[in-house]
Amino acid sequence: MSFIKLVHGAGAREMWKLIEKVIINNVPPEYRKIENGVGLDVLDDGAAIKIGDKYLVFAIDSFTVNPIFFPGGDIGHLAASGVINDLVMMGALPIAFMDTIVVEEGFPIKDLDTIIKSMTKILFENNIALIGGDLKVMPRGSIDKITITGMGIGVAEEVIIDKNIREGDKVIVTAPIAEHGATILATQLGLLDKARDLKSDSKPLTNTVLPVIRKYAKYIHAARDPTRGGLSSTLSEWVYGTDLTIIIDRAKIPIRDHVREFLDALGVDPLSMASEGVAVLAVDPLVADEVVEELHKKGETYSTIIGYVKKAPNKIVSGKVVAITEVGGKVLVEPKSVNLPRIC
Amino acid sequence: MSFIKLVHGAGAREMWKLIEKVIINNVPPEYRKIENGVGLDVLDDGAAIKIGDKYLVFAIDSFTVNPIFFPGGDIGHLAASGVINDLVMMGALPIAFMDTIVVEEGFPIKDLDTIIKSMTKILFENNIALIGGDLKVMPRGSIDKITITGMGIGVAEEVIIDKNIREGDKVIVTAPIAEHGATILATQLGLLDKARDLKSDSKPLTNTVLPVIRKYAKYIHAARDPTRGGLSSTLSEWVYGTDLTIIIDRAKIPIRDHVREFLDALGVDPLSMASEGVAVLAVDPLVADEVVEELHKKGETYSTIIGYVKKAPNKIVSGKVVAITEVGGKVLVEPKSVNLPRIC
């Protein structure tokens, strides 16, 4: 008999396989989407239903992060930002939010209030209504503190579906990577006092990345926030099963020195660490420089092209990601399954 | 300092107060709904957004039931049925579903598969697509087995908002009450071998109750599935803060003998026990008998009028529910907070 392992939740290949086995295989193709919409058939950041000439876009995510308060945010901040960013990555303007809270008996009501305030602050700053929700209490010991599920509703004229990635696309990263993952890792390992500068990058991308995605929607062939599994998992998923390969230049990937140093010391690859305020875009080469420039103007000053998509020259790299290392060599980038539980 | 208690999740007054304190108070009125829609302002079974001349209706619920497999269903069956029924109680035809699963490390994958099959069977039998979701794994000991959050999307021409309940309405109950609650109680107490006939009534009301609600939408002023907190909580919530009172005749409330006997032996009031396959309707007296007849035709053969709504004759019963007892007396029905954790 097989059992759930931590790695099944880590956002990489083992998770995709489990989801295929227990979810996708249980859903006949005709039940994977609503006509003309986006559903389980594409496994994107969210789903969509076409209404008239627009799409209503839906994203849902459960948040189990440990600790629930961390430098740069908390589970409420993360739930709002994470769900908003899933909508943004579909090209949608978020308009409404619903949440369910599962909380442990004995949890301080003051902390619950802090978490809700933190979540709703993000929502209202982005003009998103909180239209409903649910609250459940579990007895002491049957859940560790609190989990939150967020569901977001957005509107899009055009939906960004990552399977549209194609030969020639430039890969853009909008901000320094791995900050959320490194921060949670440090807190879980009790190393935060040795890495005081670490801070989660949890933030909604509504004001910076969304306007650019909407302006260039026709040219943006894939968009993803590299949360669980990090950049390596996002890029690997994009080309998995295709005849494409993504070539990235490691030296060009934005990452802050103290984050790199902290992860290096532990032997952890920043490419496998979650970001919560970063977008990765695959953009038509015609407009890639323009998109970077627009992102800079909107405040994402670290935005840069880190690589490109090409037809795979051989089977070894087909459907895979190749990194040019700092010393000019080439290595395959595997979607890493860091056994770091409760990252988001 | 105050802490979360089990009673905060029990579906009655303490829960409403907590939700008002930590959720509603943190949401300014302008952020409680989308224009012309239904949101936090009414605290109904779900929310709605008006699009053209129709409503898209949304319901979200987390399921934490213990045990996860029980006579009559399992957590997957319950998640699908529960969310579907919330949509049905808003007058909406369910069309799509999303889910998030939070599962404990070490959970048998075979059981996860069984639960997903059970959930999707309900969905597909009702022609509902599964369009997306999320899966998280928590380390051993940080969650007891599994929780599921379900989010349903439905379409309605008219939305049933329970605050439309009014003087003269007849109160209809569609099926025997308390079966789910009694079953979970028996399993949690280890009494199932003494109550072998107990079985959860978990089922979607799409084929029986929904067509009647849609046909008589203009005349149905309130509709609710009496889950957590049971019938007493549903009725109390309907008139709470109004100048109305609901008079119910206890002898008319459908309940199976073995359920009543089991609960009587424990001193538990069936009116406070959850049902998962029952609807409670407040219906214009003009069509109440017709509605009951239609429900019978659709297979809900226990449907019956159990009471009515009137202007409260005095302050004692204003905003409250009054039951005529089996011996002809009158008692106030309080929304009971049975400290039964993880009922749904």
Side-chain angles (χ1 to χ4, degrees):
Chain A
M1 197 151 84
S2 316
F3 300 91
I4 294 289
K5 297 173 191 162
L6 286 178
V7 73
H8 285 123
R13 197 152 287 159
E14 293 84 350
M15 186 173 93
W16 311 342
K17 280 189 188 156
L18 177 73
I19 286 176
E20 186 163 342
K21 183 176 169 179
V22 300
I23 313 273
I24 311 292
N25 284 351
N26 280 321
V27 183
E30 67 269 29
Y31 287 114
R32 290 179 191 171
K33 63 174 180 175
I34 302 286
E35 203 184 342
N36 292 325
V38 176
L40 267 191
D41 48 329
V42 301
L43 286 179
D44 217 293
D45 306 271
I49 296 179
K50 194 162 191 189
I51 296 182
D53 57 347
K54 292 192 179 177
Y55 291 90
L56 268 194
V57 180
F58 307 97
I60 191 165
D61 247 328
S62 283
F63 295 85
T64 63
V65 67
N66 176 33
I68 55 174
F69 295 98
F70 48 81
D74 59 45
I75 191 170
H77 190 284
L78 194 65
S81 306
V83 170
I84 287 173
N85 288 346
D86 281 346
L87 293 174
V88 168
M89 294 305 119
M90 298 284 284
L93 177 74
I95 59 170
F97 189 85
M98 297 176 88
D99 69 292
T100 70
I101 294 164
V102 179
V103 61
E104 186 180 18
E105 178 190 10
F107 190 79
I109 291 178
K110 176 177 71 57
D111 287 352
L112 182 59
D113 187 60
T114 303
I115 288 165
I116 301 294
K117 281 194 166 68
S118 174
M119 181 176 84
T120 51
K121 183 167 183 283
I122 301 277
L123 296 178
F124 307 152
E125 281 174 358
N126 289 283
N127 207 25
I128 299 165
L130 178 65
I131 60 175
D134 180 35
L135 176 89
K136 294 275 154 69
V137 179
M138 284 172 83
R140 219 177 276 265
S142 59
I143 186 162
D144 182 22
K145 300 185 192 76
I146 186 169
T147 61
I148 297 181
T149 300
M151 192 282 285
I153 306 172
V155 183
E157 276 87 47
E158 303 193 50
V159 176
I160 313 289
I161 306 290
D162 297 354
K163 68 173 185 184
N164 288 328
I165 192 167
R166 64 194 67 165
E167 193 180 359
D169 281 351
K170 301 285 187 188
V171 175
I172 295 171
V173 167
T174 62
I177 66 164
E179 314 222 325
H180 179 75
T183 307
I184 299 301
L185 183 64
T187 58
Q188 288 191 3
L189 296 178
L191 295 175
L192 210 56
D193 54 340
K194 292 188 176 58
R196 286 180 197 278
D197 294 337
L198 286 179
K199 203 179 130 193
S200 168
D201 61 334
S202 172
K203 75 162 189 179
L205 298 171
T206 14
N207 295 320
T208 58
V209 178
L210 180 60
V212 182
I213 290 186
R214 297 184 98 196
K215 182 170 174 187
Y216 292 94
K218 281 188 205 311
Y219 302 98
I220 294 177
H221 302 142
R224 184 72 62 99
D225 52 334
T227 58
R228 271 186 299 174
L231 186 59
S232 62
S233 195
T234 291
L235 297 177
S236 299
E237 220 179 321
W238 278 355
V239 291
Y240 185 69
T242 71
D243 60 353
L244 300 172
T245 185
I246 295 179
I247 313 287
I248 56 171
D249 187 342
R250 280 200 74 121
K252 290 193 176 154
I253 299 171
I255 175 164
R256 287 196 173 88
D257 286 342
H258 69 277
V259 175
R260 185 198 308 272
E261 282 156 20
F262 172 76
L263 293 174
D264 275 357
L266 294 171
V268 172
D269 185 358
L271 266 64
S272 62
M273 296 305 282
S275 299
E276 293 286 346
V278 175
V280 191
L281 310 173
V283 182
D284 194 303
L286 274 179
V287 298
D289 290 328
E290 224 176 289
V291 165
V292 169
E293 208 174 299
E294 285 278 324
L295 286 163
H296 284 209
K297 278 188 203 157
K298 292 289 180 193
E300 296 294 359
T301 55
Y302 285 87
S303 297
T304 189
I305 295 172
I306 64 153
Y308 62 98
V309 182
K310 68 171 194 174
K311 279 264 182 272
N314 58 50
K315 282 202 171 168
I316 300 168
V317 299
S318 182
K320 299 210 168 149
V321 179
V322 175
I324 299 166
T325 65
E326 285 81 349
V327 293
K330 284 182 182 172
V331 291
L332 278 179
V333 176
E334 291 293 338
K336 291 273 175 46
S337 300
V338 182
N339 253 330
L340 187 60
R342 301 178 65 183
I343 194 87
C344 59
Chain B
M1 196 151 84
S2 315
F3 299 92
I4 293 289
K5 296 173 189 163
L6 286 177
V7 73
H8 285 124
R13 196 152 288 160
E14 293 83 351
M15 185 174 92
W16 311 343
K17 281 188 187 156
L18 178 72
I19 286 176
E20 186 163 340
K21 182 177 170 181
V22 298
I23 313 275
I24 311 294
N25 284 351
N26 280 321
V27 183
E30 67 269 29
Y31 287 116
R32 290 179 191 171
K33 63 174 180 176
I34 302 284
E35 203 184 341
N36 292 322
V38 176
L40 267 191
D41 48 328
V42 301
L43 284 179
D44 217 293
D45 306 271
I49 296 180
K50 195 162 191 189
I51 296 183
D53 57 347
K54 292 192 178 178
Y55 291 90
L56 267 195
V57 180
F58 306 98
I60 190 165
D61 248 327
S62 283
F63 296 85
T64 61
V65 67
N66 176 33
I68 55 175
F69 295 99
F70 49 81
D74 60 46
I75 191 171
H77 191 283
L78 194 65
S81 305
V83 170
I84 287 171
N85 289 347
D86 281 346
L87 293 174
V88 168
M89 295 305 120
M90 298 284 283
L93 177 74
I95 59 170
F97 188 85
M98 297 176 89
D99 69 293
T100 70
I101 295 164
V102 179
V103 60
E104 186 181 18
E105 178 190 11
F107 191 79
I109 291 178
K110 177 177 69 59
D111 287 352
L112 182 59
D113 188 59
T114 303
I115 288 166
I116 301 293
K117 281 194 165 68
S118 173
M119 183 176 83
T120 51
K121 183 167 184 283
I122 301 277
L123 296 179
F124 307 151
E125 281 174 359
N126 289 282
N127 207 25
I128 299 165
L130 179 64
I131 60 174
D134 180 35
L135 176 89
K136 293 275 155 71
V137 179
M138 284 173 83
R140 220 177 274 265
S142 58
I143 185 162
D144 183 23
K145 299 183 192 78
I146 185 170
T147 61
I148 297 181
T149 300
M151 192 282 285
I153 305 172
V155 182
E157 276 87 47
E158 303 192 50
V159 175
I160 313 288
I161 306 289
D162 296 354
K163 69 173 184 184
N164 288 328
I165 192 167
R166 64 194 67 165
E167 191 179 0
D169 280 351
K170 301 285 188 187
V171 175
I172 295 172
V173 167
T174 62
I177 66 163
E179 314 222 325
H180 179 75
T183 306
I184 300 300
L185 182 63
T187 58
Q188 288 190 3
L189 297 177
L191 294 174
L192 210 57
D193 56 339
K194 291 188 176 59
R196 286 179 196 278
D197 295 336
L198 286 179
K199 203 179 128 194
S200 168
D201 60 335
S202 172
K203 75 162 190 181
L205 298 170
T206 15
N207 296 321
T208 57
V209 178
L210 179 60
V212 183
I213 290 185
R214 297 186 98 196
K215 182 170 175 187
Y216 292 93
K218 283 188 204 309
Y219 302 97
I220 294 178
H221 301 142
R224 184 71 62 101
D225 52 335
T227 57
R228 272 186 298 175
L231 186 59
S232 62
S233 195
T234 291
L235 298 177
S236 300
E237 221 178 323
W238 280 354
V239 290
Y240 185 69
T242 71
D243 60 352
L244 300 172
T245 185
I246 296 179
I247 313 288
I248 58 171
D249 188 341
R250 280 200 74 121
K252 290 192 177 154
I253 298 170
I255 175 164
R256 288 196 171 89
D257 286 342
H258 67 278
V259 176
R260 185 197 308 272
E261 283 157 18
F262 172 76
L263 292 174
D264 274 357
L266 294 171
V268 172
D269 185 358
L271 266 64
S272 62
M273 296 305 282
S275 300
E276 293 286 346
V278 174
V280 191
L281 310 173
V283 182
D284 193 303
L286 274 178
V287 298
D289 290 329
E290 225 177 289
V291 165
V292 169
E293 208 173 300
E294 285 279 322
L295 285 163
H296 284 210
K297 277 188 204 156
K298 292 289 178 193
E300 297 293 358
T301 54
Y302 286 87
S303 296
T304 189
I305 296 171
I306 65 153
Y308 62 98
V309 182
K310 69 170 193 176
K311 279 263 183 274
N314 59 52
K315 282 203 172 169
I316 300 168
V317 300
S318 182
K320 298 210 168 147
V321 179
V322 175
I324 299 166
T325 65
E326 285 80 349
V327 293
K330 283 180 183 172
V331 290
L332 278 179
V333 176
E334 291 294 337
K336 291 272 176 47
S337 301
V338 182
N339 255 330
L340 187 59
R342 302 178 64 182
I343 194 86
C344 60

